[in-house]
Amino acid sequence: MIDLRSDTVTRPTAAMREVMTRAAVGDDVWGDDPSVNAFERAVAERAGKAAALLLPSGTQSNLCALLTHCQRGEEVIVGQHSHIFRDEGGGAAALGSISLQTLPHEADGSLALEALRGAVKGDDLHHARSRLLALENTFRGKVLPRDYTLAATAQAHEQGLATHLDGARLFNASVATGLSLAELCEGFDSVSLCFSKGLGAPVGSLLLGSADFIARARRWRKTLGGGMRQAGLLAAACHHALEHHVERLADDHDNARRLAEGLAGVPGVEVRARDTNMVFAAFPEAHCRALGAHLEACGILMAAGPVTRLVTHLDVSAEQIDRVVAAVNDYFTGADSDLSASTG
Ligand SMILES: *Cc1c(COP(=O)(O)O)cnc(C)c1O
């Protein structure tokens, strides 16, 4: 199958599986796993942070960060379409008694500096105490401008907030801009990275921050049930991804461009956005079910809807992108299609 639903669907490569079988391991809850320790050190160094913590998922990594930054009754300022707000099961509220103050996104994915400034509550006993600004990069594939992240984090710090970056796809931002991981992490007190998306590891996220912050986050990881034992098997896969699958993200970005250009040429399809490894395309609503079925019969998985997110990754080649475009084109221009009748 050609699976464009997400970059989480990547399977470990043969080389990655081989590295996993050879990994030196120990009990990571005791800090004894050499592969975990080496991986945490390598990424911390590359990101310009003092320490790192391996976690099983990005959701747990973000939650650990929020729990470490905030006390019960404190508040995080986040985008209203951010993963932390929409896609993490309300964990901050459910498990941390932390409230989330959402702000709308600008067209480039940022949260307007003036809106951010105004959202920080004054020292008044009526208000939750504003404690943390959390940004997301990339956001729906878009790279936040570096001038913006530097200005937003500086302003947050001036107003007494800490800063967190949900960098699940920060390596995509790095490859797209040529900026180093350390440059992209600048200004943030903590950063969460995912290795199980376009980088192709089966499991693994890292939380980065100061030594004291990570020591406190390590306690929360245990509390949340995220303390893993011989986790070196997973760290070895992530470390392999770090060394072999970062530069090749450029191929995914090229494939997203190829897909966007191909789909833009199909009558009835509207390409709304294309950034890094994501394409957002609008298909006529009346056709979505039949299109989805047609594509599935062609071995292509995408959640065809009025606005569909298509994601390129390690397990999709340029040749497969051409097959996707051809299959969509066949559907809309084929003999059994009556596009004009259904869309008016
Ligand atoms: C995928 C993702 C996460 C983490 O998700 P998990 O599935 O829990 O690993 C966090 N933030 C963003 C923006 C993501 O895309």
Side-chain angles (χ1 to χ4, degrees):
M1 295 301 269
I2 303 171
D3 194 343
L4 296 172
R5 293 171 303 171
S6 177
D7 46 6
T8 57
V9 300
T10 56
R11 314 263 168 98
T13 62
M16 181 179 281
R17 289 170 194 255
E18 214 275 311
V19 163
M20 292 173 77
T21 63
R22 284 189 284 109
V25 296
D27 189 325
D28 180 49
V29 172
W30 292 358
D32 283 350
D33 189 298
S35 299
V36 172
N37 294 340
F39 174 58
E40 289 175 345
R41 267 199 310 277
V43 181
E45 199 163 295
R46 192 156 158 172
K49 300 294 181 204
L53 181 67
L54 177 70
L55 299 110
S57 71
T59 297
Q60 193 177 85
S61 181
N62 281 330
L63 180 57
C64 261
L66 267 50
L67 289 167
T68 306
H69 283 296
C70 302
Q71 301 290 319
R72 179 185 178 88
E74 293 186 333
E75 169 186 271
V76 182
I77 299 171
V78 285
Q80 68 184 19
H81 297 302
S82 65
H83 199 276
I84 287 178
F85 180 58
R86 285 172 54 108
D87 299 307
E88 301 189 0
L95 303 173
S97 299
I98 297 164
S99 57
L100 299 180
Q101 159 75 64
T102 59
L103 290 176
H105 297 266
E106 301 296 296
D108 65 359
S110 67
L111 311 177
L113 292 177
E114 271 322 297
L116 281 178
R117 186 184 297 284
V120 178
K121 315 280 188 297
D123 185 12
D124 177 325
L125 59 76
H126 293 86
H127 302 320
R129 200 185 289 276
S130 302
R131 184 72 195 97
L132 180 70
L133 167 65
L135 297 176
E136 184 176 314
N137 195 11
T138 62
F139 170 75
R140 296 188 170 174
K142 291 184 196 305
V143 180
L144 292 185
R146 176 165 150 82
D147 290 352
Y148 168 76
T149 58
L150 291 177
T153 52
Q155 176 177 291
H157 286 145
E158 271 163 33
Q159 291 185 280
L161 270 59
T163 54
H164 174 71
L165 177 63
D166 177 356
R169 296 189 180 85
L170 198 60
F171 286 102
N172 292 85
S174 175
V175 167
T177 58
L179 293 167
S180 69
L181 193 63
E183 287 171 310
L184 291 165
C185 292
E186 208 181 323
F188 293 99
D189 300 308
S190 59
V191 178
S192 176
L193 303 173
C194 286
F195 291 82
S196 64
K197 293 195 166 161
L199 293 181
V203 177
S205 283
L206 267 195
L207 182 61
L208 300 153
S210 69
D212 170 64
F213 177 86
I214 292 299
R216 290 185 292 125
R218 195 175 285 279
R219 293 186 75 92
W220 277 120
R221 184 186 68 171
K222 190 75 181 93
T223 303
L224 295 173
M228 298 182 286
R229 302 298 180 179
Q230 286 70 39
L233 297 177
L234 303 175
C238 294
H239 210 148
H240 178 84
L242 178 71
E243 286 173 353
H244 296 95
H245 295 169
V246 172
E247 285 74 21
R248 65 148 307 284
L249 291 172
D251 299 342
D252 298 344
H253 301 172
D254 289 345
N255 283 338
R257 189 176 302 109
R258 191 180 185 95
L259 179 61
E261 287 170 3
L263 290 179
V266 178
V269 179
E270 186 194 334
V271 174
R272 295 269 175 89
R274 190 270 308 159
D275 294 284
T276 59
N277 68 331
M278 290 187 195
V279 176
F280 290 85
F283 299 99
E285 197 154 2
H287 282 273
C288 286
R289 276 176 69 105
L291 173 63
H294 167 76
L295 293 174
E296 201 163 330
C298 299
I300 297 162
L301 290 177
M302 65 162 85
V307 180
T308 302
R309 186 188 75 162
L310 305 162
V311 190
T312 57
H313 52 75
L314 185 61
D315 290 351
V316 179
S317 66
E319 181 266 325
Q320 288 176 317
I321 292 294
D322 293 344
R323 276 166 49 198
V324 171
V325 172
V328 173
N329 192 62
D330 281 352
Y331 175 84
F332 283 109
T333 60
D336 57 347
S337 164
D338 189 2
L339 183 63
S340 53
S342 310
T343 57

